[in-house]
Amino acid sequence: MVRKILPVLFFLFASALFSESPWGSSIQKGFETAKQDKKFIIVDVFADWCTYCLVLEKEIFPDPEVSRVLDSFVRVRLDGEEFPNLRKKYNIEGYPTILFLDGDGNYVTKISGLATKEDILNISKRILQEPNIESYLKTELRRNVNSPDIHFRLGLLYFQNKDFEKAESQFTETIQKSKTLPLLKESAHFNLNLVKSIHGPKESAVKSWKEYLELYPTSNRKITAKLYYGLTLKDAGESKLAKSILTEIKPQLTTDTDKSMCNEALSEIERGF
């Protein structure tokens, strides 16, 4: 009897062992592991109906050479349809998309569409040559000194790390080099203004927000820009104009954070602060 059971038990154990996937399904756990192990993350963003997503999963990722390289990453696989915020944050427009991130969620790069084995190997190896995302982006910038996108990503990294002088410099470079990329130019201008609102003379921030609103009158960030314009006017001592603008846009604010900032500023103006 025992002789009959043991082979069955071994088969079940072996099946479980070899079916275990190296890909996790939690982005939060991925970040935690990446920070702990000081690794980058690769995120396979797929959809159930996407044919090429299956090619990646069943043929390209299991390739021995690809698999060896990806062992140096924390691997996460996510159904993009279930993570709309992730799609929005990393500007994912289709499937499959392969994201490369660091443990803090900073965007390194991505491959959209039909990624080949060579695409994955080349990008992965270049990332692994660098100790961190700043080093990687600086190396990429040396490869393409006029890339506004890399300047922008460096600006975001420095902004998140509260290195405001470097962030301001990178966003300024982005604006100057993105003449044919209006959406990137606008995003860089918006983020530059956020830096100025936090760091530097308030009068400079006021001037910059006013300029932004004049340059981008149909921007989908118009209400948020007006909010920050009003807040910086208040901080610069122009309370009357600040009150007028904040009162005007208050009914149009949608997030709790924006509403709270607006209400607090209006309350301080009323109290003479």
Side-chain angles (χ1 to χ4, degrees), residues 186 210-223 225-226:
E186 181 192 334
K210 183 179 180 182
E211 181 183 76
Y212 177 91
L213 289 165
E214 291 171 350
L215 286 172
Y216 310 104
T218 60
S219 169
N220 58 12
R221 298 186 180 95
K222 182 178 179 180
I223 299 302
K226 279 192 171 185

Side-chain angles (χ1 to χ4, degrees), residues 41-154:
I41 304 174
I42 180 171
V43 186
D44 173 26
V45 187
F46 70 93
D48 286 339
W49 45 262
C50 167
T51 303
Y52 196 74
C53 295
L54 289 176
V55 176
L56 273 179
E57 179 185 356
K58 303 297 183 183
E59 298 179 22
I60 295 180
F61 286 138
D63 177 273
E65 190 177 0
V66 173
S67 186
R68 279 195 299 273
V69 170
L70 296 189
D71 281 343
S72 298
F73 290 82
V74 174
R75 297 186 234 185
V76 178
R77 176 172 285 127
L78 300 174
D79 185 336
E81 300 294 279
E82 297 178 4
F83 294 88
N85 290 337
L86 180 119
R87 296 202 315 269
K88 181 178 180 181
K89 180 175 181 179
Y90 297 111
N91 195 29
I92 295 172
E93 298 178 343
Y95 306 106
T97 293
I98 304 171
L99 285 176
F100 294 88
L101 313 171
D102 70 6
D104 293 313
N106 291 312
Y107 172 77
V108 181
T109 190
K110 67 183 176 184
I111 307 174
S112 301
L114 309 182
T116 65
K117 170 183 173 179
E118 289 70 27
D119 291 334
I120 296 169
L121 288 175
N122 289 338
I123 290 177
S124 298
K125 288 176 180 178
R126 278 160 52 189
I127 292 172
L128 293 173
Q129 288 173 354
E130 307 296 343
N132 54 50
I133 185 173
E134 180 184 9
S135 177
Y136 169 79
L137 289 174
K138 284 184 173 180
T139 298
E140 292 299 294
L141 194 58
R142 285 192 291 272
R143 295 172 184 267
N144 188 357
V145 293
N146 292 316
S147 170
D149 177 66
I150 299 174
H151 281 295
F152 182 73
R153 286 152 61 190
L154 273 169

Side-chain angles (χ1 to χ4, degrees), residues 139-187:
T139 298
E140 292 299 294
L141 194 58
R142 285 192 291 272
R143 295 172 184 267
N144 188 357
V145 293
N146 292 316
S147 170
D149 177 66
I150 299 174
H151 281 295
F152 182 73
R153 286 152 61 190
L154 273 169
L156 291 177
L157 177 65
Y158 292 136
F159 192 10
Q160 179 169 309
N161 293 338
K162 299 182 180 179
D163 193 339
F164 297 122
E165 290 185 3
K166 288 184 179 179
E168 183 172 344
S169 173
Q170 294 300 325
F171 288 137
T172 301
E173 286 282 349
T174 306
I175 293 169
Q176 293 172 351
K177 294 178 179 178
S178 58
K179 294 178 181 178
T180 61
L181 300 167
L183 291 179
L184 182 61
K185 184 176 182 179
E186 181 192 334
S187 294

